[in-house]
Amino acid sequence: MVNYYLAVDIGASSGRHMLAHLEDGKVVLEEIHRFSNGMIEVDGHKRWDIEELFRQIIIGLKKCKGIGKIPTSMGIDTWAVDYVLLDENDNVVRPCFGYRDSRTAGMDEEVYKIIPEDKLYERTGIQKAIFNTIYQLMADKKDGYLDRAKSFLMVPDYLHYLLTSVKSNEYTNCSTTQLLNPDTKEWDYELIEMFGFNKSLFGEIKQPGACIGTFSDSVKAEVGFDCKVVLPPTHDTASAVFAVPNTADNVLYISSGTWSLLGSENMKAICTKEAMEANFTNEGGYEGHFRFLKNIMGLWMIQSVRNELIAAGQEYSFAELCNLAEQADIDSIVDANAEVFLAPASMIDAVKDYCKNQGQKVPETPGELAKVIYQSLAVCYKMACYEVEKITGKYFNIINVVGGGSKAGYLNKLTAETTGKTVIAGPSEATALGNIGAQMMAAGEVAGLKEFRNILMSDI
């Protein structure tokens, strides 16, 4: 009998259902369903259409039933920091705001009135980003949403709740809230109360691999089967790093997608002033690991440029933009981490304006725009490599790029040339594989993380 495992992997621009099983010592992946995602603008705010995401999850489950491949278990991973608030009747209190929404403007100042920035980092190990959960909660407090809230669920936890009627708080995603103690790996309730948040909102932290239950009666009736719901590392980056195939100590990873997350794995959080000033974060990983990493703007920039070109009637694939970039003659560089690139009205204009203001050649063609972005990402990677080596005191000579960006051959080439390190690409489906790996381990079909990574290494 074949055991099938289903990963529902939802990113900022798309989601998919990936079904997997073990065959001859290898993980066999099959895409069952794919759907689009993205923030929508409603009443001047960016939000996620959480109801549509759940509708798509159900559609994918029905497709599993339709092809006769019923999963033994399933789990959902998504991006970090965003969440849902429920009232005493488990009704949604406010829209599921997206992290690019401007409602958090100025909330950092409100937080630092309560605890200085350096003390907050020392206490949590989480980098400052204005979209962090802690600043979103301060906005909710200001807007009165917390007055009615009785439960706090990160996005994947809420989607799991809709499937099972069981509320859970999975560790890796909750670690991004800036409200966890990195030593105990539990909520820092003292910190939570300092901010005036009701500590009863925040439930028991569960580790990846925990089975939280099975489908509710209504979901069973709709999809036509029952299934265990096993928590993967629900933060998509945590799942992606789970599936970095190299087990050596000299390997950095880049989880390359909408964001580029570059870093190392450690067994203890690094909460030093040096790490804070370099804007590194310590996010929770599997089996007590910490993902010591830096957030770099990533392929969001090229995705945005491509969307604008398509809207203007210029249809390019990412592969075509890579080829055009390699042929272009321009040396301009932008700071890919600059706030102007977070959510500009036009990414093309933002890149052009930045170059113009810096006295550099302004990119005009699609190829030039793409080259500026790819060159800029490679330079950011080089700086992040230098910083992680300086802070950890370790030297890393290999970078393993995983995720969709691992297929960007030109960017990988630039990364190798710019950093002077060996770049290994793949797996491109790392997030889904990490999700599935946690489920396989929970089922006892794979003995541990090292064995799973060795299985993946044989496929690279």
Side-chain angles (χ1 to χ4, degrees):
M1 178 181 170
V2 176
N3 289 324
Y4 291 102
Y5 304 90
L6 178 66
V8 180
D9 171 30
I10 307 176
S13 58
S14 67
R16 67 267 177 84
H17 290 55
M18 302 293 286
L19 202 62
H21 66 280
L22 280 176
E23 187 175 305
D24 298 326
K26 294 183 181 296
V27 179
V28 179
L29 272 179
E30 178 183 2
E31 183 178 303
I32 302 299
H33 180 54
R34 182 176 286 268
F35 53 95
S36 62
N37 187 31
M39 294 182 201
I40 57 177
E41 189 98 12
V42 181
D43 298 329
H45 289 285
K46 292 180 172 62
R47 60 170 73 170
W48 302 104
D49 190 345
I50 204 83
E51 292 80 14
E52 174 61 15
L53 290 180
F54 187 66
R55 191 179 76 85
Q56 292 294 338
I57 290 170
I58 295 297
I59 289 172
L61 290 170
K62 289 179 178 179
K63 288 185 177 180
C64 291
K65 171 72 171 178
I67 61 174
K69 295 180 178 179
I70 306 299
T72 299
S73 67
M74 68 160 294
I76 302 168
D77 65 77
T78 75
W79 62 95
V81 304
D82 293 338
Y83 56 91
V84 174
L85 296 174
L86 302 179
D87 65 16
E88 60 186 5
N89 297 314
D90 292 331
N91 296 314
V92 174
V93 167
R94 51 72 148 165
C96 183
F97 293 110
Y99 58 82
R100 296 188 193 276
D101 188 68
S102 61
R103 62 194 288 271
T104 55
M107 291 301 106
D108 51 344
E109 297 173 9
E110 297 302 314
V111 165
Y112 303 146
K113 288 177 184 176
I114 297 167
I115 181 171
E117 181 179 357
D118 59 341
K119 296 300 182 184
L120 181 60
Y121 186 88
E122 186 180 303
R123 189 161 182 153
T124 66
I126 298 299
Q127 71 177 91
K128 178 190 175 179
I130 195 58
F131 50 71
N132 281 0
T133 309
I134 195 170
Y135 307 118
Q136 294 196 48
L137 283 166
M138 287 300 283
D140 284 340
K141 182 181 176 183
K142 176 184 174 184
D143 294 339
Y145 290 124
L146 292 188
D147 295 339
R148 294 184 288 123
K150 298 299 181 184
S151 299
F152 167 95
L153 298 174
M154 304 296 283
V155 167
D157 294 329
Y158 177 64
L159 294 171
H160 284 138
Y161 165 72
L162 293 180
L163 286 172
T164 64
S165 298
V166 176
K167 296 173 186 173
S168 60
N169 296 98
E170 189 275 327
Y171 167 64
T172 66
N173 216 317
C174 290
S175 76
T176 71
T177 61
Q178 219 165 355
L179 292 171
L180 254 64
N181 181 315
D183 294 326
T184 65
K185 302 177 176 60
E186 300 289 346
W187 296 115
D188 187 335
Y189 285 116
E190 183 182 23
L191 185 65
I192 286 167
E193 290 187 313
M194 284 169 60
F195 289 118
F197 307 152
N198 187 343
K199 69 178 185 180
S200 66
L201 283 174
F202 305 92
E204 177 189 359
I205 298 288
K206 292 187 178 294
Q207 293 294 320
C211 177
I212 62 169
T214 58
F215 291 163
S216 66
D217 290 342
S218 60
V219 171
K220 277 189 287 188
E222 187 168 4
V223 302
F225 65 92
D226 198 5
C227 179
K228 290 181 181 177
V229 176
V230 172
L231 296 179
T234 63
H235 183 193
D236 51 10
T237 307
S239 274
V241 172
F242 186 109
V244 172
N246 208 308
T247 57
D249 292 332
N250 63 336
V251 178
L252 293 171
Y253 57 80
I254 299 177
S255 177
S256 181
T258 300
W259 292 87
S260 289
L261 300 312
L262 185 152
S264 63
E265 283 190 288
N266 302 317
M267 291 308 298
K268 190 170 178 60
I270 303 174
C271 304
T272 62
K273 182 179 179 182
E274 188 179 25
M276 182 193 76
E277 290 176 345
N279 213 27
F280 271 73
T281 197
N282 297 268
E283 296 173 352
Y286 192 80
E287 290 185 341
H289 290 87
F290 285 93
R291 292 172 287 117
F292 184 63
L293 59 85
K294 187 160 192 170
N295 283 277
I296 299 167
M297 196 66 74
L299 298 181
W300 158 251
M301 297 178 72
I302 198 70
Q303 290 166 354
S304 299
V305 166
R306 178 174 177 263
N307 289 339
E308 288 182 52
L309 291 171
I310 291 172
Q314 301 180 63
E315 188 84 37
Y316 292 100
S317 68
F318 290 116
E320 287 170 334
L321 286 173
C322 264
N323 290 335
L324 290 172
E326 195 161 8
Q327 296 163 21
D329 183 17
I330 187 169
D331 295 323
S332 301
I333 298 290
V334 303
D335 178 3
N337 289 326
E339 198 166 315
V340 293
F341 301 121
L342 183 62
S346 166
M347 185 66 74
I348 291 175
D349 288 345
V351 172
K352 287 183 175 183
D353 290 345
Y354 191 102
C355 291
K356 182 179 179 180
N357 293 337
Q358 295 295 315
Q360 302 182 86
K361 180 180 177 181
V362 176
E364 298 295 345
T365 67
E368 288 176 344
L369 284 162
K371 186 160 191 173
V372 169
I373 290 170
Y374 287 133
Q375 287 176 156
S376 301
L377 287 175
V379 170
C380 281
Y381 295 165
K382 178 181 180 180
M383 178 56 69
C385 288
Y386 167 77
E387 290 169 334
V388 73
E389 289 178 340
K390 186 170 183 288
I391 294 167
T392 63
K394 300 177 184 177
Y395 174 70
F396 302 89
N397 59 1
I398 296 173
I399 300 175
N400 200 141
V401 183
V402 299
S406 67
K407 295 186 284 189
Y410 178 57
L411 178 56
N412 292 337
K413 177 184 173 184
L414 282 177
T415 301
E417 292 173 352
T418 305
T419 64
K421 300 183 186 297
T422 299
V423 172
I424 299 172
S428 62
E429 301 290 356
T431 304
L433 285 166
N435 181 323
I436 285 159
Q439 295 182 57
M440 287 181 170
M441 288 168 57
E445 195 160 358
V446 175
L449 181 58
K450 186 172 183 178
E451 179 180 325
F452 185 73
R453 286 176 167 173
N454 283 333
I455 290 171
L456 298 182
M457 194 179 298
S458 66
D459 289 334
I460 295 296

CSV table of all heavy atoms in Angstrom, one decimal, residues 170-193:
chain,number,residue,atom,x,y,z
A,170,GLU,N,1.5,26.8,15.7
A,170,GLU,CA,2.7,26.1,15.3
A,170,GLU,C,4.0,26.9,15.5
A,170,GLU,O,4.0,28.1,15.1
A,170,GLU,CB,2.6,25.6,13.8
A,170,GLU,CG,3.7,24.6,13.4
A,170,GLU,CD,4.9,25.3,12.9
A,170,GLU,OE1,4.8,26.5,12.3
A,170,GLU,OE2,6.0,24.8,13.1
A,171,TYR,N,5.0,26.3,16.0
A,171,TYR,CA,6.2,27.0,16.5
A,171,TYR,C,6.9,27.8,15.4
A,171,TYR,O,7.2,29.0,15.7
A,171,TYR,CB,7.2,26.0,17.1
A,171,TYR,CG,8.5,26.5,17.3
A,171,TYR,CD1,8.8,27.5,18.3
A,171,TYR,CD2,9.6,26.0,16.7
A,171,TYR,CE1,10.0,28.0,18.5
A,171,TYR,CE2,10.9,26.4,16.9
A,171,TYR,CZ,11.1,27.5,17.8
A,171,TYR,OH,12.4,27.9,18.0
A,172,THR,N,7.2,27.3,14.2
A,172,THR,CA,8.1,28.0,13.3
A,172,THR,C,7.5,29.3,12.8
A,172,THR,O,8.2,30.3,12.7
A,172,THR,CB,8.5,27.1,12.1
A,172,THR,OG1,7.3,26.8,11.3
A,172,THR,CG2,9.1,25.8,12.5
A,173,ASN,N,6.2,29.3,12.6
A,173,ASN,CA,5.5,30.5,12.1
A,173,ASN,C,5.3,31.5,13.3
A,173,ASN,O,5.6,32.7,13.2
A,173,ASN,CB,4.2,30.2,11.5
A,173,ASN,CG,3.9,31.1,10.3
A,173,ASN,OD1,4.1,32.3,10.4
A,173,ASN,ND2,3.3,30.6,9.3
A,174,CYS,N,5.0,31.0,14.5
A,174,CYS,CA,4.8,31.8,15.6
A,174,CYS,C,6.1,32.5,16.1
A,174,CYS,O,6.2,33.6,16.7
A,174,CYS,CB,4.2,31.0,16.8
A,174,CYS,SG,2.5,30.6,16.6
A,175,SER,N,7.3,31.8,15.7
A,175,SER,CA,8.6,32.4,16.1
A,175,SER,C,8.8,33.7,15.4
A,175,SER,O,9.7,34.5,15.8
A,175,SER,CB,9.7,31.4,15.8
A,175,SER,OG,10.0,31.3,14.4
A,176,THR,N,8.1,34.0,14.3
A,176,THR,CA,8.3,35.2,13.5
A,176,THR,C,7.6,36.4,14.1
A,176,THR,O,7.7,37.5,13.6
A,176,THR,CB,7.9,35.1,12.1
A,176,THR,OG1,6.5,35.0,12.0
A,176,THR,CG2,8.6,33.8,11.4
A,177,THR,N,6.7,36.2,15.1
A,177,THR,CA,5.9,37.2,15.7
A,177,THR,C,6.6,38.3,16.5
A,177,THR,O,6.1,39.3,16.7
A,177,THR,CB,4.8,36.6,16.6
A,177,THR,OG1,5.4,36.0,17.7
A,177,THR,CG2,3.9,35.6,15.8
A,178,GLN,N,7.8,37.9,16.9
A,178,GLN,CA,8.6,38.8,17.9
A,178,GLN,C,8.0,38.8,19.3
A,178,GLN,O,8.1,39.7,20.0
A,178,GLN,CB,8.7,40.2,17.3
A,178,GLN,CG,10.1,40.9,17.6
A,178,GLN,CD,10.3,42.1,16.8
A,178,GLN,OE1,9.5,42.5,15.9
A,178,GLN,NE2,11.4,42.8,17.0
A,179,LEU,N,7.3,37.7,19.6
A,179,LEU,CA,6.7,37.5,20.9
A,179,LEU,C,7.0,36.2,21.5
A,179,LEU,O,6.4,35.8,22.6
A,179,LEU,CB,5.1,37.6,20.7
A,179,LEU,CG,4.6,38.9,20.3
A,179,LEU,CD1,3.1,38.8,20.0
A,179,LEU,CD2,4.8,40.0,21.4
A,180,LEU,N,8.1,35.5,21.0
A,180,LEU,CA,8.5,34.2,21.6
A,180,LEU,C,9.8,34.4,22.3
A,180,LEU,O,10.7,35.2,21.9
A,180,LEU,CB,8.6,33.1,20.5
A,180,LEU,CG,7.5,32.1,20.5
A,180,LEU,CD1,6.2,32.7,20.1
A,180,LEU,CD2,7.8,31.0,19.5
A,181,ASN,N,10.0,33.6,23.3
A,181,ASN,CA,11.3,33.5,24.0
A,181,ASN,C,12.2,32.4,23.3
A,181,ASN,O,11.8,31.2,23.2
A,181,ASN,CB,11.1,33.0,25.4
A,181,ASN,CG,12.4,32.9,26.2
A,181,ASN,OD1,13.4,32.4,25.8
A,181,ASN,ND2,12.4,33.5,27.4
A,182,PRO,N,13.3,32.8,22.7
A,182,PRO,CA,14.1,31.8,21.9
A,182,PRO,C,14.7,30.7,22.7
A,182,PRO,O,15.1,29.7,22.2
A,182,PRO,CB,15.2,32.7,21.2
A,182,PRO,CG,15.3,33.9,22.1
A,182,PRO,CD,13.9,34.1,22.7
A,183,ASP,N,14.8,30.9,24.0
A,183,ASP,CA,15.4,29.9,24.9
A,183,ASP,C,14.4,28.8,25.2
A,183,ASP,O,14.6,27.6,25.1
A,183,ASP,CB,16.0,30.5,26.1
A,183,ASP,CG,17.2,31.4,25.9
A,183,ASP,OD1,18.0,31.0,25.0
A,183,ASP,OD2,17.4,32.4,26.6
A,184,THR,N,13.2,29.3,25.6
A,184,THR,CA,12.1,28.3,26.0
A,184,THR,C,11.3,27.8,24.8
A,184,THR,O,10.6,26.8,24.9
A,184,THR,CB,11.2,29.0,27.0
A,184,THR,OG1,10.5,30.0,26.4
A,184,THR,CG2,11.9,29.5,28.2
A,185,LYS,N,11.4,28.6,23.7
A,185,LYS,CA,10.6,28.3,22.5
A,185,LYS,C,9.1,28.4,22.8
A,185,LYS,O,8.3,27.7,22.2
A,185,LYS,CB,11.0,27.0,21.9
A,185,LYS,CG,12.4,27.0,21.4
A,185,LYS,CD,12.8,25.6,20.9
A,185,LYS,CE,14.2,25.6,20.4
A,185,LYS,NZ,15.2,25.9,21.5
A,186,GLU,N,8.7,29.2,23.8
A,186,GLU,CA,7.3,29.4,24.2
A,186,GLU,C,7.0,30.9,24.1
A,186,GLU,O,7.9,31.8,24.0
A,186,GLU,CB,7.1,28.9,25.6
A,186,GLU,CG,7.4,27.5,25.8
A,186,GLU,CD,6.3,26.5,25.2
A,186,GLU,OE1,5.3,27.0,24.8
A,186,GLU,OE2,6.6,25.3,25.1
A,187,TRP,N,5.7,31.3,24.2
A,187,TRP,CA,5.3,32.7,24.2
A,187,TRP,C,6.0,33.4,25.4
A,187,TRP,O,6.1,32.8,26.5
A,187,TRP,CB,3.8,32.8,24.4
A,187,TRP,CG,3.0,32.3,23.2
A,187,TRP,CD1,2.1,31.2,23.3
A,187,TRP,CD2,2.9,32.8,21.9
A,187,TRP,NE1,1.5,31.0,22.0
A,187,TRP,CE2,1.9,32.0,21.2
A,187,TRP,CE3,3.5,33.9,21.2
A,187,TRP,CZ2,1.6,32.2,19.8
A,187,TRP,CZ3,3.2,34.1,19.9
A,187,TRP,CH2,2.3,33.3,19.2
A,188,ASP,N,6.4,34.6,25.1
A,188,ASP,CA,6.9,35.4,26.2
A,188,ASP,C,5.8,36.2,26.8
A,188,ASP,O,5.5,37.3,26.4
A,188,ASP,CB,8.0,36.4,25.7
A,188,ASP,CG,8.7,37.2,26.8
A,188,ASP,OD1,8.1,37.4,27.8
A,188,ASP,OD2,9.9,37.6,26.5
A,189,TYR,N,5.1,35.6,27.7
A,189,TYR,CA,3.8,36.2,28.2
A,189,TYR,C,4.1,37.5,29.0
A,189,TYR,O,3.2,38.4,29.0
A,189,TYR,CB,3.1,35.2,29.1
A,189,TYR,CG,2.4,34.1,28.4
A,189,TYR,CD1,2.8,32.8,28.5
A,189,TYR,CD2,1.4,34.4,27.5
A,189,TYR,CE1,2.1,31.7,27.8
A,189,TYR,CE2,0.7,33.4,26.8
A,189,TYR,CZ,1.1,32.1,26.9
A,189,TYR,OH,0.4,31.1,26.2
A,190,GLU,N,5.2,37.6,29.6
A,190,GLU,CA,5.6,38.9,30.3
A,190,GLU,C,5.7,40.0,29.3
A,190,GLU,O,5.1,41.1,29.5
A,190,GLU,CB,6.9,38.7,31.0
A,190,GLU,CG,7.3,40.0,31.8
A,190,GLU,CD,8.6,39.9,32.5
A,190,GLU,OE1,9.4,39.0,32.1
A,190,GLU,OE2,8.8,40.6,33.5
A,191,LEU,N,6.3,39.7,28.1
A,191,LEU,CA,6.4,40.7,27.1
A,191,LEU,C,5.0,41.0,26.5
A,191,LEU,O,4.7,42.2,26.2
A,191,LEU,CB,7.3,40.2,26.0
A,191,LEU,CG,7.7,41.1,24.8
A,191,LEU,CD1,8.5,42.3,25.3
A,191,LEU,CD2,8.4,40.4,23.7
A,192,ILE,N,4.2,40.0,26.3
A,192,ILE,CA,2.9,40.2,25.7
A,192,ILE,C,2.1,41.1,26.6
A,192,ILE,O,1.4,42.0,26.2
A,192,ILE,CB,2.2,38.8,25.6
A,192,ILE,CG1,2.8,38.1,24.4
A,192,ILE,CG2,0.7,38.9,25.4
A,192,ILE,CD1,2.4,36.6,24.3
A,193,GLU,N,2.2,40.9,27.9
A,193,GLU,CA,1.4,41.7,28.9
A,193,GLU,C,2.0,43.2,28.9
A,193,GLU,O,1.2,44.1,29.2
A,193,GLU,CB,1.4,41.1,30.3
A,193,GLU,CG,0.5,39.8,30.3
A,193,GLU,CD,0.4,39.3,31.7
A,193,GLU,OE1,1.4,39.2,32.4
A,193,GLU,OE2,-0.7,39.0,32.1
